[in-house]
C-alpha cells in the first residue's frame, strides 16, 4: 500500500469511529431515564409545592447531622458493598466477580491513610455524583453513582458526616484484577458521558408528595433498578424494561412491575411493605441473597412512612410481562406438593433427609412461616437459580434475625446441589428445573459465597 492509501484508510477509520460514537450518543440520549415512564412536568426541588421529597423523614428532621446521615447511609445501603464477608463495616474488600476480572470495594472509613479521612466535601460529592475520585480517577459503575447522582448535595454531605463518625479502619484497598481493556479507568469517562445524567432529583409536579418521596428513595437512594432492571449490551440499565427483572451476583432479581402473572401485581400493598421491611410476606416467599442483605442493612431501618412511599411509587410503574418465568405459580393445592416427582432419587433422598425437617413434606414450612416454599417466586422459577443459591449459601442469620437456613455449599457436591434444587422446583413449583453440576459451579463463582466446590 502506498502512504497515501494508508493515510486515506486511517482517516476512514477515524471517521467511522466518530460516527459510531455519535450514533451511540444519540442512542443513549433517546433512552428513557429511570422516571421517564411518569407523565407530568418535572420541576426543580425549590419549585415543588408539596413537602420536600428529599432528606430524612419527619421523625428525624430535628436530629443532628450524623443521625440524619446514618438514616440516609442505610437507605442508600453503602454498607452492603463496602463490607467484606466477616470484615469491618465500610472497610471495603468485598469482591465483585465480573466476566473480565474481579473488582474490590475500597475502604470508606475515616482512616486518613487507607480510607477517605482526608477527602473534602467537594471530593466526596464528586465521587458520589459523578464517579470521579480525587486526582480525576474514574470509578467503575459497579459503584451505582448513576443512581446516587440524584441525591441532593445536602443528603450526600450528611452521608459523609455519618461516615466520618464510624470507627476508622486501617486497611489497604485490594487491587482489582481486571484485564485489558477493562482495567483502563479513563474509559469510564465515556460510560459516564453516555449513562450518568449527573442531574439531581427533580420531583414530578402533578404527583403526590408521597409518590415523589417514594421516587427519591427508590431511584436515588435504594437503587432497586440496579438489580431489578435488565441491562443492555453495554451494561447500562434498560429503562424501557424498567423493573422487569435483572440479575444480581448470580441471583435472579425478579420482575417487580405490576404484571399480575410474572410481577408483583397480585401482591397487596401490605404484602409489599412487609417483604421490604422484614424480608418476608406470608405465602409469597422470603428474601434471600442480595435482597436479604438489602433488607437487613437498609430497608428494615426505614420508617413505615418511607416504606409506604416506596410501595406507592412501585405500584405506579408500568406492568411488563417477563418471558423467562411462567406467568402462574403452582396451584396451592397441587397433589405434587405431598407426593413429590419421580425420577430424581438423589434429590428425593436429600430433600427427605436434610430439608423436610424444616420445610415439611408439603413445603408449607415446619419451623417458621418464613420456611414456606410453596408460593415463592424462586421455587416457581425454572432456572432454579435462587433455589440453588439458597442451598449453597443459606440465609445467614435469617431475614429478620431468627434462625435461618443453613448453608450447604461446603457439604454438597455441585451435582447434589443441582439434584435437590431440581427436586424442589419439580415438587413445589409450576415448571420443573433441569440444572446440572456445571450450572451450580457457575453460580458459585457469581455469588459472593467464598465456599468452593467439592467436585473440583
Ligand atoms: C453496589 C455496590 C456499591 C454500593 C451500594 C456503594 N458502593 Fe461505593 N463503590 C463500589 C465499588 C465497586 C467501588 C470501587 C469502584 C472502582 O474501583 O472504580 C466504590 C467506590 C466508592 C468510593 C471511592 C473510594 C476511593 O477510594 O476511590 C466512594 C467514596 C464510595 N464508593 C462511597 C460510597 C457511598 C457513600 C455509598 C452509599 C451512598 C456507596 N459507596 C455505595 C460499590 C458500591
Ligand atoms: C442488590 C440487589 C437488589 C436490590 C438493590 C434490590 N433487590 Fe429486590 N430482589 C433482589 C433479588 C436477588 C431478589 C430475589 C430474592 C429471592 O429469590 O430470595 C429480590 C426480590 C424482590 C422482591 C420479591 C419478588 C418476588 O416475586 O418474590 C421484591 C418485591 C423486591 N425485591 C423489591 C425491591 C425493591 C422495592 C427494591 C428497592 C427498594 C429492591 N428490591 C432492591 C435483589 C435486589
Ligand atoms: C434448619 C432448618 C432448615 C433446613 C435444614 C433447610 N432450610 Fe431452607 N430455609 C429455612 C428457613 C428458616 C428459610 C427462610 C429463610 C430465612 O428466614 O432467612 C429457608 C428458605 C429456603 C428457600 C427460599 C424460599 C423462598 O421463599 O424463596 C429455599 C429454596 C430453601 N430454603 C430450600 C432448602 C433446601 C433445598 C434444603 C435442603 C437442602 C433446605 N432448605 C434446608 C430453613 C431450613
Amino acid at each position: 500500500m502506498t502512504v497515501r492509501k494508508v493515510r486515506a484508510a486511517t482517516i476512514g477509520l477515524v471517521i467511522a469511529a466518530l460516527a459510531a460514537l455519535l450514533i451511540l450518543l444519540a442512542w443513549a440520549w433517546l433512552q428513557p431515564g429511570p422516571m421517564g415512564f411518569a407523565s407530568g412536568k418535572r420541576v426543580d426541588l425549590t419549585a415543588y409545592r408539596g413537602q420536600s421529597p428529599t432528606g430524612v423523614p419527619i421523625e428525624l428532621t430535628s436530629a443532628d447531622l450524623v443521625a440524619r446521615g446514618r438514616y440516609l447511609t442505610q437507605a442508600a445501603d453503602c454498607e452492603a458493598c463496602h463490607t467484606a464477608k466477616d470484615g469491618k463495616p465500610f472497610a471495603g474488600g468485598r469482591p465483585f466477580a465480573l466476566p473480565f476480572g474481579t473488582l474490590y470495594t475500597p475502604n470508606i472509613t475515616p482512616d486518613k491513610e487507607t480510607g477517605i479521612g482526608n477527602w473534602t466535601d467537594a471530593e466526596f460529592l464528586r465521587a458520589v455524583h459523578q464517579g470521579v475520585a480525587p486526582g480525576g480517577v474514574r470509578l467503575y459503575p459497579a459503584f451505582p453513582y448513576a443512581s446516587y447522582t440524584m441525591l441532593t448535595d445536602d443528603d450526600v454531605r450528611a452521608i459523609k458526616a455519618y461516615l466520618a463518625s464510624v470507627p476508622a479502619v486501617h486497611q489497604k484497598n485490594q487491587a482489582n484484577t481486571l484485564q485489558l481493556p477493562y482495567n483502563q479507568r479513563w474509559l469510564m469517562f465515556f460510560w459516564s458521558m453516555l449513562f450518568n445524567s449527573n442531574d439531581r432529583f427533580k420531583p414530578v409536579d402533578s404527583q403526590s408528595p408521597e409518590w415523589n418521596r417514594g421516587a427519591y428513595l427508590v431511584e436515588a437512594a435504594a437503587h432497586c433498578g440496579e438489580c431489578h432492571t435488565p441491562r443492555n449490551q453495554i451494561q447500562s440499565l434498560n429503562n424501557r424494561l424498567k423493573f422487569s427483572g435483572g440479575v444480581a451476583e448470580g441471583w435472579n432479581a425478579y420482575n417487580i412491575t405490576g404484571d399480575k402473572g410474572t410481577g408483583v401485581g397480585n401482591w397487596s400493598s401490605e404484602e409489599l411493605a412487609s417483604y421490604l421491611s422484614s424480608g418476608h410476606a406470608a405465602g409469597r416467599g422470603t428474601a434471600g441473597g442480595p435482597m436479604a442483605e438489602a433488607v437487613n442493612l437498609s430497608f428494615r431501618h426505614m420508617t413505615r412512612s418511607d416504606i409506604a412511599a416506596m410501595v406507592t411509587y412501585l405500584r405506579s410503574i408500568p406492568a411488563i410481562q417477563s418471558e423467562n418465568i411462567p406467568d402462574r405459580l403452582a396451584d396451592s393445592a397441587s397433589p405434587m406438593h405431598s407426593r413429590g416427582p419421580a425420577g430424581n432419587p438423589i434429590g428425593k433422598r436429600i430433600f427427605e433427609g436434610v430439608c423436610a425437617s424444616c420445610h415439611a413434606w408439603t413445603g408449607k414450612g415446619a419451623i417458621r412461616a418464613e420456611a414456606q416454599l410453596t408460593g415463592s417466586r424462586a421455587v416457581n422459577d425454572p432456572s432454579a437459580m435462587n433455589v440453588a443459591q439458597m442451598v449453597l449459601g443459606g440465609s445467614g442469620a435469617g431475614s429478620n434475625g431468627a434462625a435461618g437456613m443453613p448453608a450447604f455449599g461446603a457439604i454438597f457436591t455441585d451435582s447434589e446441589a443441582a439434584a435437590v434444587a431440581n427436586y424442589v422446583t419439580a415438587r413445589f413449583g409450576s415448571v420443573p428445573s433441569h440444572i446440572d453440576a456445571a450450572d451450580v459451579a457457575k453460580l458459585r463463582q457469581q455469588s459472593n459465597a467464598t465456599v468452593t466446590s467439592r467436585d473440583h
Side-chain angles (χ1 to χ4, degrees):
M1 269 206 289
T2 65
V3 172
R4 189 175 300 162
K5 270 196 190 144
V6 171
R7 192 180 300 151
T10 313
I11 292 172
L13 266 179
V14 169
I15 290 176
L18 279 176
L21 189 65
L22 274 177
I23 291 169
L24 206 60
L25 257 179
W27 173 82
W29 266 91
L30 290 173
Q31 294 304 303
M35 290 164 67
F37 70 91
S39 59
K41 204 168 102 221
R42 295 186 62 191
V43 295
D44 281 332
L45 270 177
T46 45
Y48 184 62
R49 62 209 151 67
Q51 195 204 322
S52 173
T54 67
V56 292
I58 293 173
E59 294 88 326
L60 281 175
T61 37
S62 54
D64 65 26
L65 184 63
V66 170
R68 282 182 280 138
R70 176 163 186 251
Y71 187 87
L72 292 162
T73 306
Q74 284 170 339
D77 207 6
C78 315
E79 185 175 344
C81 293
H82 284 278
T83 308
K85 200 166 188 264
D86 304 322
K88 301 249 169 58
F90 302 107
R94 175 168 178 163
F96 281 82
L98 306 172
F100 33 83
T102 301
L103 184 62
Y104 296 88
T105 48
N107 181 344
I108 56 168
T109 72
D111 186 61
K112 287 198 188 306
E113 208 179 305
T114 61
I116 60 168
N118 279 329
W119 289 32
T120 64
D121 278 10
E123 285 169 337
F124 188 76
L125 277 160
R126 193 160 175 236
V128 175
H129 283 152
Q130 300 178 47
V132 183
V137 176
R138 290 275 162 181
L139 298 166
Y140 293 98
F143 173 23
Y145 49 83
S147 297
Y148 295 151
T149 203
M150 284 178 268
L151 293 168
T152 64
D153 288 7
D154 280 350
D155 287 352
V156 177
R157 279 192 211 100
I159 290 173
K160 182 168 186 277
Y162 171 66
L163 287 176
S165 78
V166 307
V169 179
H170 190 81
Q171 178 179 300
K172 277 217 177 74
N173 291 333
Q174 195 161 340
N176 70 56
T177 61
L178 304 184
Q179 303 150 4
L180 255 175
Y182 303 100
N183 59 2
Q184 300 299 303
R185 288 185 171 276
W186 58 271
L187 286 173
M188 296 308 122
F189 167 81
F190 295 104
W191 192 93
S192 285
M193 186 170 73
L194 292 168
F195 305 120
N196 183 9
S197 67
N198 192 16
D199 269 341
R200 304 298 91 79
F201 181 78
K202 281 202 176 76
V204 176
D205 202 23
S206 52
Q207 296 281 2
S208 69
E210 189 182 40
W211 185 93
N212 277 300
R213 173 68 178 164
Y216 185 69
L217 290 169
V218 162
E219 303 297 352
H223 60 275
C224 319
E226 296 275 347
C227 296
H228 286 281
T229 298
R231 290 174 192 271
N232 55 34
Q233 294 84 339
I234 27 185
Q235 292 301 302
S236 74
L237 298 180
N238 180 358
N239 283 316
R240 288 184 206 284
L241 296 176
K242 186 180 176 68
F243 285 9
S244 67
V247 175
E249 298 172 73
W251 289 71
N252 266 331
Y254 294 114
N255 184 336
I256 53 169
T257 72
D259 186 61
K260 289 202 186 308
T262 62
V264 293
N266 275 334
W267 293 39
S268 69
S269 294
E270 292 69 37
E271 285 170 332
L272 281 170
S274 163
Y275 191 91
L276 289 176
S277 52
S278 75
H280 177 70
R284 300 230 179 250
T286 303
M291 186 66 191
E293 197 175 52
V295 169
N296 276 333
L297 292 171
S298 179
F299 313 146
R300 179 167 80 79
H301 301 285
M302 290 185 176
T303 61
R304 283 171 77 100
S305 63
D306 273 356
I307 293 281
M310 293 207 295
V311 170
T312 297
Y313 176 73
L314 201 58
R315 301 221 88 125
S316 75
I317 290 160
I320 297 173
Q321 189 176 359
S322 299
E323 280 157 12
N324 56 348
I325 45 173
D327 75 346
R328 254 163 20 97
L329 301 175
D331 181 350
S332 63
S334 165
M336 182 66 98
H337 293 173
S338 48
R339 205 177 59 221
N344 181 351
I346 301 175
K348 180 171 193 274
R349 174 175 54 77
I350 296 175
F351 187 80
E352 291 180 351
V354 183
C355 322
S357 55
C358 290
H359 288 290
W361 302 106
T362 55
K364 296 270 189 294
I367 46 164
R368 296 191 291 126
E370 282 82 351
Q372 177 168 345
L373 296 174
T374 52
S376 126
R377 177 67 69 194
V379 169
N380 283 273
D381 167 2
S383 82
M385 246 164 110
N386 294 9
V387 171
Q389 290 287 23
M390 191 58 124
V391 168
L392 295 172
S395 68
S399 54
N400 49 13
M405 154 104 179
F408 296 99
I411 297 165
F412 294 160
T413 63
D414 290 350
S415 32
E416 285 167 340
V420 73
N422 289 335
Y423 186 84
V424 164
T425 58
R427 184 161 180 169
F428 305 115
S430 49
V431 181
S433 62
H434 299 285
I435 60 167
D436 58 20
D439 297 319
V440 172
K442 224 177 283 162
L443 291 177
R444 285 190 198 257
Q445 269 169 18
Q446 290 162 350
S447 84
N448 275 310
T450 44
V451 180
T452 46
S453 160
R454 268 191 13 191
D455 277 2
H456 302 291

